[in-house]
Amino acid sequence: MLTPLETLKLYPPHAGTLASLLQSRAAVAGARECLVFQGRSLRYAEVLKQVERTAGVLARQGVGAGDRVGVMSHNHPSSVFVLCALAWLGATMVPVNPDYGVEEARYVLEHAQVAGVVCSPHALPTVTAACQAWPVAPWLWLNTPAEGVDLPVLEALVAREDAPQPPPPSTEADATCVFIYTSGTTGFPKGVMHSQRSLVMAGEGFVARMFLQPDDRLLCVLPLFHVNAIFYSFGGALAAGATLLLEPRFSASRFWQVVHETGATEVNTIAAASAILMRRPRSEFVPGHRLRKIYGAPFDAETYGVYQQEFGVPTLIEGYGMSEVPGALNNPFPGPHKVGSMGRPSLHPDPALSLAELRIMGDDGGFLGPGEIGELVVRTPIVMQGYFRDEAQTRAAFRDGWFLTGDLAQMDADGYFWFVARKKDIIRKRGENISGAELDRVVGQHPAVLEAAAIPVPSELGEDDILVAVVLRPGQVAAPQDIAQWCRERLAAIKVPRYVAIVDALPHTPTHRVAKFKMREDGRLRARAVDLGA
């Protein structure tokens, strides 16, 4: 097994941009598989050619440095090509959840001020409705053909013999290349801006985190609108010169068949996916697979036991990161592993380059010692450039150069960090950060609702489920099912509450804010709520 630094040194030096990283890998491994999707295999030289041609057609469309283009699709090779091509031009990709409702999509696309959108046929009706009332509508391309739809198709534009040559690739490693929209405590998503250098360094960090080898085959079942898939699976595969096995989305029933058929050696998961697979019929498991490494969190002792002893996967690595600070912590690949911990600060393969520093900060801004509980703070070169069009939130996210995670944690005597609780009004469900404030606002707009408050409650799949407590207006009637349907019509399915409790009143602080901490401590609230997922 090569060390992470030996893996990186297989390739010529790069300039910290996505284009230079891809060119570096193609120079040595041009004939090696780079990207596999539904039986289609592209080698590094072929991916580089696709990126160049995509950059050419985007430039002809008028896309240049600083422009932003939305991408709304389930996982597809076009998302990889567009990301790299936009970076080639010094432009920015704005990935959007393809399962968003119209209002959610409209907010993100308008807030990001996109010049155009590349979407799948599945997402086309949502994108069309979201952009309908714009004074100047963004241009719109499909990533694959759709019968009866008269729109340019990216695949066809790139395949044309007269496809234009791209301009020289951008050399600005600090140019913003991607926005990751993440739920905020204000109730509106925040556009987390990351540079090309940040993405490239995160990919190299993932080589160290998982000891990636050039012959590794990274299965990507998480969505390419999240930091995990972009910065770890894609970035890590590219940094190692390895192979990215791209799946449209996670399928629990087919997971082990896909692992076996693709020869996957590494996969990233989230807590809910890991828990679901543990509870699936063992008849779906396919022995003889090559999967040897899983990255995710949290993993408890039961998870280690099932995956190592029943599923035959020897190495599980827990880690911690956020859209703002990807890859901050992990249990060291060589060990020792502390089950259930967030791990130690992540390392870069090159010992001359430092990555994350982490401390526990008290309310007064001072640092706390081992065993003391406070807010986890991070200082790292892999940090967001800020929140797009939100200087106030950007300033509030930092204190004396440290990023404030909003998570309470403690550090043990060995330097391992342990999660305690969330400080922010964020619900973590199936790998998604869901804003409690957003749910409060949407449910509160129901004509029968006087006040609403959403809180996380433990899920049997790990992480959280959503409980919404509702106070009705005098004389109004609404059933929990009505509240859920109201949410379904306005929010992505993952944000629809599982539990709805109709209550007489909500607890408040002296400043008249809803005291959600009291709601979380009230065990009777969940007991009296209607379980709509039962």
Side-chain angles (χ1 to χ4, degrees):
M1 179 183 290
L2 298 175
T3 68
L5 185 57
E6 288 172 339
T7 295
L8 296 191
K9 286 189 171 181
L10 293 172
Y11 311 102
H14 59 77
T17 64
L18 273 179
S20 65
L21 182 64
L22 179 57
Q23 290 170 327
S24 165
R25 276 46 186 167
V28 171
R32 186 182 302 153
E33 272 191 324
C34 175
L35 180 62
V36 178
F37 178 78
Q38 294 186 331
R40 178 188 179 193
S41 174
L42 291 169
R43 303 186 183 278
Y44 269 86
E46 294 171 318
V47 168
L48 177 58
K49 187 66 175 177
Q50 286 290 316
V51 169
E52 291 175 344
R53 294 175 73 87
T54 304
V57 299
L58 285 167
R60 181 173 61 186
Q61 185 66 18
V63 177
D67 288 333
R68 293 168 295 280
V69 174
V71 172
M72 192 166 178
S73 170
H74 291 111
N75 288 355
H76 189 270
S78 60
S79 298
V80 173
F81 303 151
V82 170
L83 169 62
C84 294
L86 289 170
W88 185 291
L89 300 173
T92 303
M93 183 174 90
V94 182
V96 184
N97 185 340
D99 296 324
Y100 266 174
V102 172
E103 292 302 318
E104 294 165 298
R106 178 182 292 122
Y107 177 82
V108 169
L109 295 172
E110 283 188 342
H111 184 267
Q113 299 174 328
V114 298
V117 181
V118 179
C119 74
S120 64
H122 163 81
L124 178 60
T126 301
V127 174
T128 302
C131 301
Q132 199 166 28
W134 289 29
V136 179
W139 52 263
L140 183 57
W141 292 352
L142 288 174
N143 62 356
T144 57
E147 188 175 349
V149 178
D150 185 21
L151 282 174
V153 178
L154 180 61
E155 282 186 355
L157 295 172
V158 170
R160 287 176 54 167
E161 292 185 5
D162 62 345
Q165 291 296 311
S170 170
T171 59
E172 297 295 325
D174 292 323
T176 304
C177 73
V178 67
F179 286 2
I180 302 293
Y181 270 85
T182 183
S183 290
T185 54
T186 62
F188 293 96
K190 296 178 292 187
V192 178
M193 302 184 292
H194 275 285
S195 68
Q196 297 195 45
R197 189 190 309 277
S198 180
L199 199 164
V200 168
M201 188 173 283
E204 293 175 339
F206 199 68
V207 174
R209 199 170 311 139
M210 299 304 292
F211 268 57
L212 294 181
Q213 306 292 297
D215 61 354
D216 264 323
R217 300 172 68 80
L218 283 72
L219 178 61
C220 181
V221 296
L222 300 180
L224 283 169
F225 54 83
H226 269 186
V227 69
N228 192 312
I230 295 177
F231 282 65
Y232 308 160
S233 295
F234 165 69
L238 188 58
T243 304
L244 182 69
L245 309 170
L246 195 59
E247 284 292 302
R249 60 198 309 172
F250 172 69
S251 169
S253 62
R254 295 192 63 251
F255 177 81
W256 291 110
Q257 187 65 40
V258 169
V259 166
H260 186 270
E261 290 174 355
T262 60
T265 60
E266 193 274 350
V267 68
N268 294 1
T269 68
I270 56 176
S274 301
I276 289 170
L277 290 171
M278 289 168 60
R279 288 159 175 76
R280 297 289 299 182
R282 292 300 186 262
S283 59
E284 295 174 353
F285 176 70
V286 181
H289 61 76
R290 296 176 54 200
L291 190 63
R292 293 294 174 264
K293 298 177 279 191
I294 297 178
Y295 176 79
F299 295 145
D300 57 18
E302 180 190 10
T303 305
Y304 273 87
V306 170
Y307 279 86
Q308 291 177 334
Q309 297 166 24
E310 292 191 48
F311 295 154
V313 183
T315 305
L316 282 72
I317 298 296
E318 293 180 80
Y320 170 91
M322 298 175 63
S323 298
E324 295 88 343
V325 284
L329 287 163
N330 64 274
N331 266 279
F333 190 91
H337 298 167
K338 291 197 176 186
V339 176
S341 83
M342 303 157 78
R344 295 173 56 88
S346 296
L347 302 175
H348 189 275
D350 187 344
L353 298 176
S354 63
L355 278 191
E357 298 176 73
L358 292 103
R359 302 292 291 271
I360 302 297
M361 182 179 285
D363 292 339
D364 61 357
F367 294 129
L368 305 179
E372 296 184 284
I373 295 175
E375 183 169 5
L376 182 69
V377 298
V378 185
R379 188 162 60 188
T380 172
I382 309 176
V383 63
M384 70 168 181
Q385 297 168 306
Y387 297 119
F388 184 59
R389 297 172 60 195
D390 200 336
E391 293 183 7
Q393 287 285 332
T394 299
R395 287 193 301 271
F398 293 88
R399 184 169 185 173
D400 299 329
W402 294 86
F403 176 77
L404 308 173
T405 67
D407 286 334
L408 299 177
Q410 60 183 332
M411 182 183 70
D412 66 20
D414 298 321
Y416 285 70
F417 289 79
W418 299 80
F419 178 81
V420 175
R422 289 188 181 86
K423 191 175 181 180
K424 296 180 179 178
D425 186 15
I426 294 294
I427 301 167
R428 184 73 174 174
K429 180 180 177 184
R430 300 184 187 179
E432 294 262 12
N433 283 334
I434 298 169
S435 167
E438 179 185 22
L439 290 167
D440 299 349
R441 175 173 53 81
V442 171
V443 177
Q445 291 169 348
H446 189 289
V449 173
L450 176 65
E451 191 174 31
I455 62 169
V457 292
S459 167
E460 63 267 23
L461 297 177
E463 298 187 323
D464 304 323
D465 274 324
I466 301 168
L467 184 151
V468 173
V470 173
V471 179
L472 298 177
R473 295 182 181 276
Q476 296 292 317
V477 177
Q481 292 81 357
D482 300 328
I483 302 300
Q485 183 60 29
W486 177 267
C487 293
R488 287 189 197 97
E489 293 170 356
R490 290 159 178 81
L491 297 169
I494 198 168
K495 299 179 184 178
V496 176
R498 173 175 173 177
Y499 301 95
V500 177
I502 308 297
V503 298
D504 295 329
L506 297 175
H508 289 84
T509 67
T511 57
H512 302 291
R513 295 179 180 272
V514 176
K516 290 193 175 184
F517 68 93
K518 291 185 178 180
M519 294 174 59
R520 287 192 285 265
E521 294 170 354
D522 184 359
R524 299 169 299 172
L525 191 57
R526 179 169 176 173
R528 67 184 295 185
V530 174
D531 182 358
L532 299 171

